[in-house]
Amino acid sequence: MDLDYTQQQRAFRVEAREWLEANVPAQALQSMDTEQGFAAHREWETKLNEGGWAMVSWPVEYGGRGVDLIEWLIFEEEYYRAGAPGRVNQNGIFLLGPTLMEFGSDEQKARFLPPMAAGIDVWAQGWSEPNAGSDMAAIRTTAFRDGDHYVVNGQKTWCSRAVWADWIFCIFRTDPDSERHRGLSFMLVPLDAEGVQVRAIEQLDGETGFAEVFFDNVRVPVDQLLGEEGGGWKVAMSTAGFERGLMLRSPARYQATARKLVALLRDNPEAAQRDPTLGDRVIRGWMQAEAYALQTYRTASRIIGGGSIGAESSLNKIFWSEMDLAMHETAMALLGPRAELLPTARAAGDVGDWLDGFQFALAGPIYAGTNEIQRNIAAERLLGLPRG
């Protein structure tokens, strides 16, 4: 691993910074979990694509710039430094996109990747079911072959971005006699297909970042099967690796949070006098964010050299989710009683968006596979411990 940037990488950073400074919206966009906010974020995805910044590490023919993972990390650092909007198509570009690169046919890549990069097709994730949350191998939604189609019946739940998205990627049980992770298949389904019903799940804040999706004899063309029939578990585990590993949560996200936390401590010195441990917690959060960045650079260098990430992604997921929660808990402690106020409240002062961030961070140890499951994976596959 080379700890210095090349001249080309420095020039790439300057180009990204200048484009973002000229194009990032001056006002924060409305939440992407509202209809208006979702539309505004889709427009932002279109602008990113027009500038060539939608997904820089993808090949040029699919809407990218063909750069390597180091330059992708550089772009992410500049993206978060600029305060750019969240990525409404993160399920597509960060999870399904890399999976299509690995398992998709040439026809599937040409069909799905360019509109994904352009924000024309926004993707939802559909893995969990009412009785199969983190235990994806327990899914019961079925698909059986009927000529050139599969016929799908069942229900998915907690489907991220499904309320206003265009497509959803799912795993279905295509072998009725199979158990656990065998006999599953990974499919791509348009959410406006006949027989698909999407029902929004309202969160505590009234917004709808999730939905239930019901399938009633939905006919899915065979050419929308990703990978082999019955081989969906292998494809899904690749997607999960991208979700827990490098792509979904880049270190720049947490470095930005750490910088905000340091600024919050400086703006609230009386809090540190009230509780001397808060300063230490802020320093620990900043150091962990920097350590995660260095670790990610090392992982990216190894992948560029032909390596892979594998079960190590479970350690990444445990680390970034618990680090994020700890930093937001520290921010709430620094703010004291004001931490529970909305930014629009009369006495809110400098609370900013810490409450929103804290509520989201609470979910970190749960989504993308609970941390308890990740610890089991690390124990069995990295440490070689026996199954309990």
Side-chain angles (χ1 to χ4, degrees), residues 54 111 125 175 192 236 248 306 312 317 337 351 357 385:
R111 176 183 176 187
Q125 185 183 37
D175 180 354
D192 62 356
L248 183 64
E312 179 188 324
K317 196 272 172 171
V351 296
L385 298 179

Side-chain angles (χ1 to χ4, degrees), residues 314-326:
S314 292
L315 297 181
N316 278 4
K317 196 272 172 171
I318 295 168
F319 189 85
W320 58 247
S321 60
E322 296 185 353
M323 169 179 62
D324 193 37
L325 181 56

Side-chain angles (χ1 to χ4, degrees), residues 47-371:
K47 176 171 278 191
L48 278 170
N49 183 63
E50 291 170 350
W53 300 102
M55 195 58 195
V56 295
S57 60
W58 286 10
V60 174
E61 63 266 32
Y62 300 139
R65 286 177 174 245
V67 302
D68 64 21
L69 286 175
I70 299 298
E71 285 163 312
W72 172 72
L73 287 167
I74 291 171
F75 174 72
E76 287 284 295
E77 290 170 4
E78 295 303 320
Y79 194 88
Y80 279 94
R81 192 181 301 277
R87 305 298 298 272
V88 72
N89 207 12
Q90 58 183 275
N91 293 316
I93 57 176
F94 293 142
L95 305 185
L96 179 59
T99 309
L100 275 163
M101 301 281 187
E102 184 174 354
F103 292 96
S105 65
D106 290 343
E107 291 76 13
Q108 288 175 323
K109 294 174 189 174
R111 176 183 176 187
F112 291 112
L113 291 173
M116 186 188 298
I120 296 170
D121 290 341
V122 177
W123 287 78
Q125 185 183 37
W127 282 359
S128 296
E129 297 185 4
N131 295 307
S134 292
D135 185 9
M136 290 198 304
I139 69 169
R140 297 181 177 178
T141 301
T142 61
F144 66 86
R145 182 78 177 262
D146 181 22
D148 294 334
H149 290 76
Y150 290 97
V151 180
V152 179
N153 284 282
Q155 176 190 355
K156 297 290 181 179
T157 191
W158 304 116
C159 303
S160 307
R161 305 281 101 75
V163 181
W164 296 289
D166 308 289
W167 287 76
I168 188 168
F169 56 90
C170 305
I171 48 177
F172 303 122
R173 191 164 296 283
T174 46
D175 180 354
D177 297 323
S178 64
E179 294 182 351
R180 304 298 295 165
H181 59 276
R182 299 179 181 83
L184 301 170
S185 298
F186 194 119
M187 296 184 194
L188 314 176
V189 185
L191 282 167
D192 62 356
E194 185 175 353
V196 173
Q197 180 187 359
V198 179
R199 188 162 66 192
I201 298 175
E202 189 172 295
Q203 301 165 171
L204 284 174
D205 59 7
E207 297 182 353
T208 51
F210 302 99
E212 296 173 289
V213 178
F214 299 87
F215 302 88
D216 182 9
N217 288 318
V218 177
R219 297 185 68 81
V220 179
V222 170
D223 62 6
Q224 288 167 205
L225 170 73
L226 185 56
E228 298 178 355
E229 180 178 314
W233 183 258
K234 180 180 179 182
V235 183
M237 288 303 97
S238 177
T239 309
F242 293 121
E243 185 175 25
R244 299 163 187 162
L246 297 185
M247 286 296 179
L248 183 64
R249 296 288 179 256
S250 73
R253 175 192 182 100
Y254 306 110
Q255 289 174 300
T257 301
R259 288 194 295 271
K260 282 177 53 183
L261 191 59
V262 171
L264 187 66
L265 176 64
R266 286 174 175 160
D267 292 341
N268 295 273
E270 73 284 354
Q273 294 172 359
R274 183 179 69 245
D275 182 353
T277 67
L278 289 176
D280 290 342
R281 291 166 63 180
V282 171
I283 293 170
R284 188 179 305 118
W286 187 88
M287 291 176 64
Q288 287 181 332
E290 292 300 310
Y292 180 54
L294 289 172
Q295 167 67 14
T296 305
Y297 270 98
R298 186 173 75 167
T299 303
S301 297
R302 192 175 73 237
I303 293 173
I304 291 170
S308 60
I309 185 167
E312 179 188 324
S313 61
S314 292
L315 297 181
N316 278 4
K317 196 272 172 171
I318 295 168
F319 189 85
W320 58 247
S321 60
E322 296 185 353
M323 169 179 62
D324 193 37
L325 181 56
M327 286 197 290
H328 281 88
E329 287 174 337
T330 302
M332 301 296 280
L334 280 167
L335 289 168
R338 291 181 297 128
E340 298 180 16
L341 297 177
L342 295 174
T344 53
R346 184 178 300 173
D350 60 353
V351 296
D353 59 358
W354 283 108
L355 179 58
D356 276 348
F358 172 66
Q359 290 175 325
F360 190 80
L362 286 171
I366 301 172
Y367 68 79
T370 66
N371 284 8

